[in-house]
Amino acid sequence: MILISNCFRSKKTSSLLIITTRRSSILSANNATAVNFCNSRHIIPRRTKHKPSSQYHYIHKPSHQPLHRSSNKTKYFIISLTAFFTINAFGTYTHFHDNLFQYYPLPCAIDVGVGPSMLPTLTPNRGELYLRDVWSHRSFFGSNKREYKRGDVVTMYNPYSQSIVTKRIVGVEGDTIHLFGEYASEFCKREGDTDGGVPVDGRFNPPFCQSMQQDSFINNVNAKKRMGYNSEATMKVPPNHVWVEGDNPLESTDSRHYGPLPVSALRGRIVLRLWPMMSSGGFYRLSRERPSPFSK
């Protein structure tokens, strides 16, 4: 109110008042600028002077740390996957070479039941998984090495058919076995089978059992012949060899066709069925007793 009354009294006064007002506005503006400048000067030194460099890094860590961890996880996953496939590829390759299989890197392997030759012990087309012991038969165990025994279910490489198969050991070194199988006479009596239960396989014509009837290894040469073959013909298993047969003789190509196999052709012993599990929740342990093909 005083400023307005002075303005009406004199021009000089009003001009002075205006100048004063302008000066006050300029000063107020300058003061504001000074305050802002001072504030900015106070902010900058405090940020640069009192905050250590580690805190600036800490500001950037949350944005970069998750990316670093995810990249490490991806790298480890790729390395693990590559190692897994490399070991499996090498293990598969060694199964087809007797000299290389001794370097198989794993103590055990997992097999899948395929084919009807081992029914009812191994059931195909059910997705069954079996645990195979690979290391307990190695020579580096010394006196603790487990020798293959009669009744063991083994996975082996068949050099004649060049395939990996699963059979049961019927005879080991020094055992006397039946060339046509231990159930040949029963098949002749019950089924009237003229081949003694030996199925026809075009890859082995004639089969080993027929070609060996008159061989010097046969102990019972004068045994009674039935229907053109000697169902009672026997032989001894040579040293470092095994005689293998399938639990389902009518559907199995085994030593009756290609003869005894060297022990070096064996790739381990199947000990457990991993899947499906037993009703009690445990693993099914394979028995060394061979089931009869005539049992229901």
Tab-separated table of all heavy atoms in Angstrom, residues 144-172:
chain	number	residue	atom	x	y	z
A	144	ASN	N	40.498	-109.209	-6.077
A	144	ASN	CA	39.092	-108.905	-5.801
A	144	ASN	C	38.231	-108.876	-7.060
A	144	ASN	O	37.047	-108.576	-6.977
A	144	ASN	CB	38.987	-107.552	-5.086
A	144	ASN	CG	39.648	-107.568	-3.719
A	144	ASN	OD1	39.619	-108.575	-3.019
A	144	ASN	ND2	40.257	-106.447	-3.345
A	145	LYS	N	38.817	-109.156	-8.191
A	145	LYS	CA	38.064	-109.157	-9.438
A	145	LYS	C	37.023	-110.274	-9.418
A	145	LYS	O	37.315	-111.401	-9.024
A	145	LYS	CB	39.010	-109.340	-10.627
A	145	LYS	CG	38.301	-109.346	-11.966
A	145	LYS	CD	39.278	-109.557	-13.120
A	145	LYS	CE	39.805	-110.967	-13.137
A	145	LYS	NZ	40.587	-111.248	-14.358
A	146	ARG	N	35.830	-109.939	-9.859
A	146	ARG	CA	34.763	-110.938	-9.900
A	146	ARG	C	34.769	-111.631	-11.256
A	146	ARG	O	34.651	-110.976	-12.290
A	146	ARG	CB	33.391	-110.287	-9.661
A	146	ARG	CG	32.250	-111.301	-9.629
A	146	ARG	CD	30.898	-110.601	-9.635
A	146	ARG	NE	29.801	-111.542	-9.531
A	146	ARG	CZ	29.306	-112.241	-10.550
A	146	ARG	NH1	29.826	-112.099	-11.764
A	146	ARG	NH2	28.303	-113.077	-10.369
A	147	GLU	N	34.878	-112.938	-11.240
A	147	GLU	CA	34.840	-113.697	-12.481
A	147	GLU	C	33.390	-113.913	-12.906
A	147	GLU	O	32.475	-113.959	-12.074
A	147	GLU	CB	35.529	-115.062	-12.294
A	147	GLU	CG	36.994	-114.975	-11.892
A	147	GLU	CD	37.863	-114.416	-13.001
A	147	GLU	OE1	37.412	-114.410	-14.178
A	147	GLU	OE2	38.985	-113.966	-12.702
A	148	TYR	N	33.188	-114.035	-14.197
A	148	TYR	CA	31.848	-114.344	-14.705
A	148	TYR	C	31.476	-115.772	-14.307
A	148	TYR	O	32.299	-116.693	-14.385
A	148	TYR	CB	31.809	-114.191	-16.218
A	148	TYR	CG	31.856	-112.756	-16.679
A	148	TYR	CD1	33.031	-112.193	-17.168
A	148	TYR	CD2	30.719	-111.949	-16.621
A	148	TYR	CE1	33.072	-110.875	-17.588
A	148	TYR	CE2	30.748	-110.629	-17.038
A	148	TYR	CZ	31.936	-110.099	-17.524
A	148	TYR	OH	31.963	-108.789	-17.932
A	149	LYS	N	30.212	-115.909	-13.918
A	149	LYS	CA	29.744	-117.203	-13.414
A	149	LYS	C	28.560	-117.690	-14.229
A	149	LYS	O	27.907	-116.929	-14.937
A	149	LYS	CB	29.340	-117.080	-11.935
A	149	LYS	CG	30.470	-116.636	-11.026
A	149	LYS	CD	29.994	-116.488	-9.588
A	149	LYS	CE	31.120	-116.019	-8.695
A	149	LYS	NZ	30.668	-115.856	-7.274
A	150	ARG	N	28.333	-118.964	-14.108
A	150	ARG	CA	27.186	-119.575	-14.779
A	150	ARG	C	25.891	-118.990	-14.208
A	150	ARG	O	25.704	-118.923	-13.008
A	150	ARG	CB	27.209	-121.084	-14.572
A	150	ARG	CG	26.265	-121.869	-15.438
A	150	ARG	CD	26.265	-123.347	-15.089
A	150	ARG	NE	27.607	-123.884	-15.055
A	150	ARG	CZ	28.248	-124.237	-13.936
A	150	ARG	NH1	27.664	-124.080	-12.745
A	150	ARG	NH2	29.464	-124.732	-13.988
A	151	GLY	N	25.013	-118.547	-15.083
A	151	GLY	CA	23.754	-117.951	-14.674
A	151	GLY	C	23.740	-116.430	-14.760
A	151	GLY	O	22.662	-115.825	-14.646
A	152	ASP	N	24.894	-115.804	-14.968
A	152	ASP	CA	24.938	-114.343	-15.087
A	152	ASP	C	24.267	-113.887	-16.385
A	152	ASP	O	24.452	-114.490	-17.442
A	152	ASP	CB	26.386	-113.845	-15.085
A	152	ASP	CG	27.029	-113.935	-13.710
A	152	ASP	OD1	26.284	-114.101	-12.723
A	152	ASP	OD2	28.271	-113.832	-13.637
A	153	VAL	N	23.486	-112.825	-16.281
A	153	VAL	CA	22.904	-112.186	-17.472
A	153	VAL	C	23.879	-111.095	-17.897
A	153	VAL	O	24.147	-110.160	-17.134
A	153	VAL	CB	21.514	-111.595	-17.168
A	153	VAL	CG1	20.953	-110.892	-18.392
A	153	VAL	CG2	20.564	-112.708	-16.720
A	154	VAL	N	24.407	-111.217	-19.098
A	154	VAL	CA	25.485	-110.337	-19.542
A	154	VAL	C	25.110	-109.636	-20.840
A	154	VAL	O	24.306	-110.124	-21.634
A	154	VAL	CB	26.794	-111.136	-19.751
A	154	VAL	CG1	27.297	-111.702	-18.439
A	154	VAL	CG2	26.608	-112.244	-20.776
A	155	THR	N	25.707	-108.462	-21.012
A	155	THR	CA	25.654	-107.748	-22.287
A	155	THR	C	26.985	-107.990	-22.987
A	155	THR	O	28.043	-107.895	-22.361
A	155	THR	CB	25.436	-106.247	-22.062
A	155	THR	OG1	24.177	-106.056	-21.420
A	155	THR	CG2	25.432	-105.487	-23.378
A	156	MET	N	26.955	-108.280	-24.264
A	156	MET	CA	28.178	-108.669	-24.971
A	156	MET	C	28.136	-108.164	-26.406
A	156	MET	O	27.080	-107.806	-26.940
A	156	MET	CB	28.330	-110.189	-24.954
A	156	MET	CG	27.203	-110.908	-25.656
A	156	MET	SD	27.292	-112.686	-25.521
A	156	MET	CE	25.989	-113.162	-26.648
A	157	TYR	N	29.322	-108.150	-26.989
A	157	TYR	CA	29.451	-107.832	-28.407
A	157	TYR	C	29.604	-109.135	-29.178
A	157	TYR	O	30.522	-109.917	-28.922
A	157	TYR	CB	30.652	-106.926	-28.658
A	157	TYR	CG	30.979	-106.749	-30.119
A	157	TYR	CD1	30.103	-106.066	-30.963
A	157	TYR	CD2	32.144	-107.265	-30.661
A	157	TYR	CE1	30.387	-105.905	-32.310
A	157	TYR	CE2	32.447	-107.100	-32.010
A	157	TYR	CZ	31.563	-106.416	-32.819
A	157	TYR	OH	31.843	-106.264	-34.147
A	158	ASN	N	28.675	-109.356	-30.109
A	158	ASN	CA	28.721	-110.561	-30.931
A	158	ASN	C	29.511	-110.246	-32.204
A	158	ASN	O	29.033	-109.527	-33.074
A	158	ASN	CB	27.300	-111.007	-31.292
A	158	ASN	CG	27.282	-112.323	-32.042
A	158	ASN	OD1	28.308	-112.828	-32.463
A	158	ASN	ND2	26.096	-112.888	-32.204
A	159	PRO	N	30.749	-110.768	-32.315
A	159	PRO	CA	31.559	-110.432	-33.495
A	159	PRO	C	31.012	-111.023	-34.787
A	159	PRO	O	31.358	-110.541	-35.870
A	159	PRO	CB	32.933	-111.015	-33.152
A	159	PRO	CG	32.645	-112.107	-32.178
A	159	PRO	CD	31.443	-111.676	-31.409
A	160	TYR	N	30.151	-112.022	-34.677
A	160	TYR	CA	29.618	-112.673	-35.881
A	160	TYR	C	28.484	-111.840	-36.490
A	160	TYR	O	28.409	-111.666	-37.699
A	160	TYR	CB	29.146	-114.088	-35.554
A	160	TYR	CG	30.239	-114.939	-34.951
A	160	TYR	CD1	30.288	-115.189	-33.583
A	160	TYR	CD2	31.233	-115.500	-35.756
A	160	TYR	CE1	31.286	-115.970	-33.022
A	160	TYR	CE2	32.254	-116.276	-35.196
A	160	TYR	CZ	32.266	-116.505	-33.836
A	160	TYR	OH	33.273	-117.272	-33.278
A	161	SER	N	27.600	-111.362	-35.629
A	161	SER	CA	26.511	-110.506	-36.116
A	161	SER	C	26.834	-109.020	-35.979
A	161	SER	O	26.060	-108.179	-36.431
A	161	SER	CB	25.228	-110.809	-35.339
A	161	SER	OG	25.402	-110.540	-33.953
A	162	GLN	N	27.986	-108.691	-35.322
A	162	GLN	CA	28.426	-107.303	-35.115
A	162	GLN	C	27.331	-106.462	-34.459
A	162	GLN	O	26.955	-105.395	-34.940
A	162	GLN	CB	28.868	-106.676	-36.442
A	162	GLN	CG	30.058	-107.360	-37.073
A	162	GLN	CD	30.519	-106.682	-38.346
A	162	GLN	OE1	29.882	-105.751	-38.828
A	162	GLN	NE2	31.631	-107.132	-38.905
A	163	SER	N	26.838	-106.974	-33.357
A	163	SER	CA	25.769	-106.284	-32.631
A	163	SER	C	25.969	-106.492	-31.135
A	163	SER	O	26.671	-107.405	-30.703
A	163	SER	CB	24.393	-106.817	-33.059
A	163	SER	OG	24.310	-108.218	-32.811
A	164	ILE	N	25.353	-105.611	-30.347
A	164	ILE	CA	25.376	-105.720	-28.889
A	164	ILE	C	24.105	-106.440	-28.458
A	164	ILE	O	22.995	-105.994	-28.766
A	164	ILE	CB	25.453	-104.338	-28.229
A	164	ILE	CG1	26.678	-103.568	-28.746
A	164	ILE	CG2	25.509	-104.464	-26.724
A	164	ILE	CD1	28.003	-104.198	-28.384
A	165	VAL	N	24.268	-107.554	-27.762
A	165	VAL	CA	23.128	-108.380	-27.367
A	165	VAL	C	23.229	-108.716	-25.880
A	165	VAL	O	24.284	-108.536	-25.261
A	165	VAL	CB	23.060	-109.677	-28.205
A	165	VAL	CG1	22.794	-109.358	-29.666
A	165	VAL	CG2	24.344	-110.475	-28.065
A	166	THR	N	22.132	-109.203	-25.337
A	166	THR	CA	22.076	-109.626	-23.938
A	166	THR	C	21.661	-111.091	-23.879
A	166	THR	O	20.637	-111.468	-24.441
A	166	THR	CB	21.073	-108.771	-23.141
A	166	THR	OG1	21.454	-107.403	-23.225
A	166	THR	CG2	21.043	-109.187	-21.679
A	167	LYS	N	22.474	-111.896	-23.214
A	167	LYS	CA	22.202	-113.332	-23.068
A	167	LYS	C	22.558	-113.771	-21.658
A	167	LYS	O	23.040	-112.992	-20.844
A	167	LYS	CB	23.031	-114.144	-24.085
A	167	LYS	CG	22.829	-113.745	-25.546
A	167	LYS	CD	21.426	-114.013	-26.040
A	167	LYS	CE	21.254	-113.554	-27.482
A	167	LYS	NZ	19.856	-113.698	-27.947
A	168	ARG	N	22.320	-115.053	-21.392
A	168	ARG	CA	22.670	-115.639	-20.098
A	168	ARG	C	23.820	-116.629	-20.291
A	168	ARG	O	23.818	-117.412	-21.256
A	168	ARG	CB	21.466	-116.351	-19.484
A	168	ARG	CG	21.739	-116.871	-18.064
A	168	ARG	CD	20.537	-117.638	-17.534
A	168	ARG	NE	19.375	-116.770	-17.378
A	168	ARG	CZ	19.110	-116.058	-16.285
A	168	ARG	NH1	19.950	-116.088	-15.258
A	168	ARG	NH2	18.015	-115.319	-16.224
A	169	ILE	N	24.773	-116.587	-19.381
A	169	ILE	CA	25.883	-117.532	-19.440
A	169	ILE	C	25.394	-118.898	-18.961
A	169	ILE	O	24.945	-119.056	-17.828
A	169	ILE	CB	27.059	-117.051	-18.580
A	169	ILE	CG1	27.611	-115.729	-19.118
A	169	ILE	CG2	28.165	-118.105	-18.542
A	169	ILE	CD1	28.747	-115.160	-18.298
A	170	VAL	N	25.502	-119.882	-19.841
A	170	VAL	CA	25.098	-121.259	-19.515
A	170	VAL	C	26.306	-122.090	-19.118
A	170	VAL	O	26.195	-123.021	-18.315
A	170	VAL	CB	24.344	-121.890	-20.704
A	170	VAL	CG1	23.982	-123.344	-20.434
A	170	VAL	CG2	23.083	-121.092	-20.999
A	171	GLY	N	27.469	-121.789	-19.678
A	171	GLY	CA	28.682	-122.528	-19.349
A	171	GLY	C	29.899	-121.625	-19.417
A	171	GLY	O	29.978	-120.739	-20.265
A	172	VAL	N	30.834	-121.844	-18.474
A	172	VAL	CA	32.103	-121.123	-18.469
A	172	VAL	C	33.228	-122.103	-18.797
A	172	VAL	O	32.983	-123.268	-19.124
A	172	VAL	CB	32.350	-120.450	-17.103
A	172	VAL	CG1	31.305	-119.372	-16.835
A	172	VAL	CG2	32.340	-121.468	-15.968
